[in-house]
Amino acid sequence: DGGITQSPKYLFRKEGQNVTLSCEQNLNHDAMYWYRQDPGQGLRLIYYSQIVNDFQKGDIAEGYSVSREKKESFPLTVTSAQKNPTAFYLCASSIDGQGRTGELFFGEGSRLTVL
Amino acid sequence: GDSVTQMEGPVTLSEEAFLTINCTYTATGYPSLFWYVQYPGEGLQLLLKATKADDKGSNKGFEATYRKETTSFHLEKGSVQVSDSAVYFCALYTGTASKLTFGTGTRLQVTL
């Protein structure tokens, strides 16, 4: 089945450690996105990529990094510079690089907890 | 900038009650409007959308009409079920920003 796979589903990290969240899609979509979800704040865009080897900062990129070396993969690294990393992270994709349809397909999310 | 305002939850209803979740927006240009739903422990799924004024999106018994004059896109369902319990997000897209802007979400709880 086509879709978006995020891993791990749950992750615990000690303060000061970097951690990488995986996102893989087999929908052949050009664009991929990372959102952060916190209670009462909805979804906030961290980074997005409209095409392979290119990505742009979203609204809350500080303390995060990404890469887009392959069309199907868009990993997110939460660095030690991120002051409040405990959150639910959602990866999404859309069929075209400009996101003109506005329709995103989401993975099931990864919940990161910093101990 | 673009923004979406949703009514705060949780909204608690009995099964078969009528549902309205309010959504208003501010945007430059002419946005497309969306409702996404998030079931417990899952990612978001597109529920319905409308791309121009007066369009009505519908799916699974849910409806929303794009009202340009009131800048609103309220979600309605005539008779909710327990299985509709979820968080509902209103969102807009404009070509200017080339990204979706989400509201904060409204949690719906339906009881027997």
Side-chain angles (χ1 to χ4, degrees):
Chain A
D1 286 354
I4 298 180
T5 302
Q6 290 187 240
S7 63
K9 192 164 187 175
Y10 298 95
L11 186 61
F12 298 89
R13 187 194 95 178
K14 293 182 180 179
E15 282 193 29
Q17 290 181 333
N18 292 355
V19 62
T20 297
L21 306 180
S22 170
C23 178
E24 303 280 330
Q25 56 103 353
N26 60 4
L27 299 168
N28 200 33
H29 285 175
D30 284 322
M32 297 186 74
Y33 309 79
W34 275 104
Y35 285 88
R36 170 177 171 144
Q37 185 177 15
D38 296 282
Q41 295 197 50
L43 275 69
R44 293 182 290 169
L45 182 63
I46 304 172
Y47 269 98
Y48 64 103
S49 169
Q50 296 174 315
I51 197 169
V52 175
N53 292 322
D54 186 46
F55 49 83
Q56 284 79 41
K57 293 181 179 180
D59 301 318
I60 56 164
E62 185 176 352
Y64 299 97
S65 66
V66 294
S67 63
R68 187 85 188 277
E69 297 177 0
K70 298 185 296 183
K71 186 175 185 178
E72 60 269 23
S73 179
F74 191 41
L76 174 74
T77 296
V78 185
T79 75
S80 57
Q82 170 49 233
K83 295 179 181 177
N84 186 20
T86 295
F88 190 54
Y89 292 89
L90 286 162
C91 180
S93 70
S94 64
I95 195 166
D96 72 87
Q98 295 299 318
R100 293 185 190 92
T101 66
E103 180 175 350
L104 301 186
F105 293 80
F106 283 84
E108 294 192 342
S110 294
R111 186 167 297 281
L112 171 64
T113 302
V114 174
L115 304 174
Chain B
D2 299 341
S3 67
V4 176
T5 302
Q6 291 182 234
M7 59 189 293
E8 288 197 22
V11 174
T12 303
L13 295 173
S14 298
E15 202 170 42
E16 299 184 0
F18 184 85
L19 168 70
T20 299
I21 299 178
N22 291 338
C23 171
T24 57
Y25 67 89
T26 302
T28 53
Y30 301 96
S32 296
L33 300 172
F34 305 83
W35 277 101
Y36 280 82
V37 58
Q38 184 179 31
Y39 297 104
E42 298 183 7
L44 279 69
Q45 305 171 25
L46 179 65
L47 180 59
L48 53 85
K49 67 178 182 181
T51 58
K52 61 182 187 296
D54 300 325
D55 270 2
K56 177 185 283 188
S58 62
N59 186 25
K60 298 182 180 179
F62 291 89
E63 293 183 340
T65 301
Y66 187 163
R67 302 286 189 198
K68 184 181 174 184
E69 62 276 12
T70 56
T71 62
S72 65
F73 192 55
H74 305 322
L75 183 68
E76 297 181 336
K77 187 176 185 182
S79 176
V80 295
Q81 305 299 313
V82 172
S83 58
D84 293 326
S85 297
V87 181
Y88 293 82
F89 291 90
C90 186
L92 68 82
Y93 173 83
T94 63
T96 307
S98 293
K99 65 181 178 80
L100 274 179
T101 299
F102 286 89
T104 55
T106 302
R107 181 175 299 278
L108 170 65
Q109 296 174 334
V110 181
T111 59
L112 292 171

